[in-house]
Amino acid sequence: VRSAQFFAEAGVFISTKLGFIDALVFGSESGDIEKLKSLADVDIAGNVGSDDSYARKMAELLGEGTPANDTLGIEYIRALNRFGSRITPVPVKRLPPSLGCASASDIRALLSSADFNGAKPFMPDFSYKITVNRINSYGCPCTLDLFEPFILSKLLELGPKGISEIPADFDG
């Protein structure tokens, strides 16, 4: 669970610093933005004692078995709040694989291979239309390779002091 916190903080920090990201869209088992926002307001860190694990405290405060994507969504919202970001969180309700649903990785692979019709059954209609329009207009889908020059430019702009402020779960 703690890795979700660090993953969310780093992603939100970088996205906020880029300055042109306006929405953070993520998969969510509940798809309920109000529920996720209220859970994000629960002070986990203030309730974790020296003998408590972060994961155990999350389960205690948020409910045992909080789904993984909702947990990550909660951490995204916490990070957005923490950094005072103007980015809007947008959960997309995930359906279970038993209903013939594809993972985000599967959908990205289909879109990257230009198999738009293969991706269509797994996406909300509005998302599908926007995605295909953007791909046709701008040559996307967006991958890390596309953003690499912008990210590197921002890292150079931040300098060593700014880079040291980037949330990370490692030493050095």
Side-chain angles (χ1 to χ4, degrees):
V1 173
R2 193 75 181 221
S3 61
Q5 178 189 22
F6 293 121
F7 179 83
E9 284 182 358
V12 167
F13 179 86
I14 292 168
S15 298
T16 299
K17 289 290 186 181
L18 285 172
F20 59 84
I21 308 294
D22 60 2
L24 173 62
V25 181
F26 57 92
S28 164
E29 288 86 359
S30 71
D32 184 345
I33 188 63
E34 295 308 319
K35 174 185 173 187
L36 297 173
K37 283 181 176 179
S38 75
L39 292 171
D41 288 338
V42 175
D43 181 16
I44 301 294
N47 290 300
V48 176
S50 60
D51 60 343
D52 289 330
S53 76
Y54 190 84
R56 187 171 26 166
K57 197 47 106 171
M58 279 283 285
E60 181 183 313
L61 293 172
L62 303 178
E64 191 66 45
T66 300
N69 291 300
D70 279 356
T71 299
L72 183 56
I74 291 164
E75 294 299 340
Y76 280 139
I77 295 166
R78 278 197 183 119
L80 290 167
N81 293 339
R82 178 172 172 232
F83 295 121
S85 181
R86 296 179 306 180
I87 297 172
T88 303
V90 181
V92 174
K93 183 163 177 55
R94 295 205 47 176
L95 300 173
S98 61
L99 294 178
C101 300
S103 70
S105 297
D106 293 337
I107 294 169
R108 282 191 297 272
L110 290 166
L111 293 172
S112 293
S113 68
D115 185 0
F116 304 146
N117 288 332
K120 187 173 185 173
F122 305 113
M123 299 176 67
D125 193 48
F126 74 93
S127 296
Y128 175 80
K129 287 177 182 176
I130 291 170
T131 301
V132 172
N133 177 280
R134 296 292 165 102
I135 290 171
N136 289 331
S137 298
Y138 303 108
C140 294
C142 296
T143 62
L144 183 58
D145 293 342
L146 180 65
F147 284 97
E148 187 175 344
F150 300 110
I151 294 169
L152 292 175
S153 172
K154 280 295 187 177
L155 288 172
L156 288 171
E157 186 180 301
L158 286 173
K161 182 179 182 321
I163 291 172
S164 72
E165 295 172 1
I166 295 174
D169 187 20
F170 59 86
D171 294 323

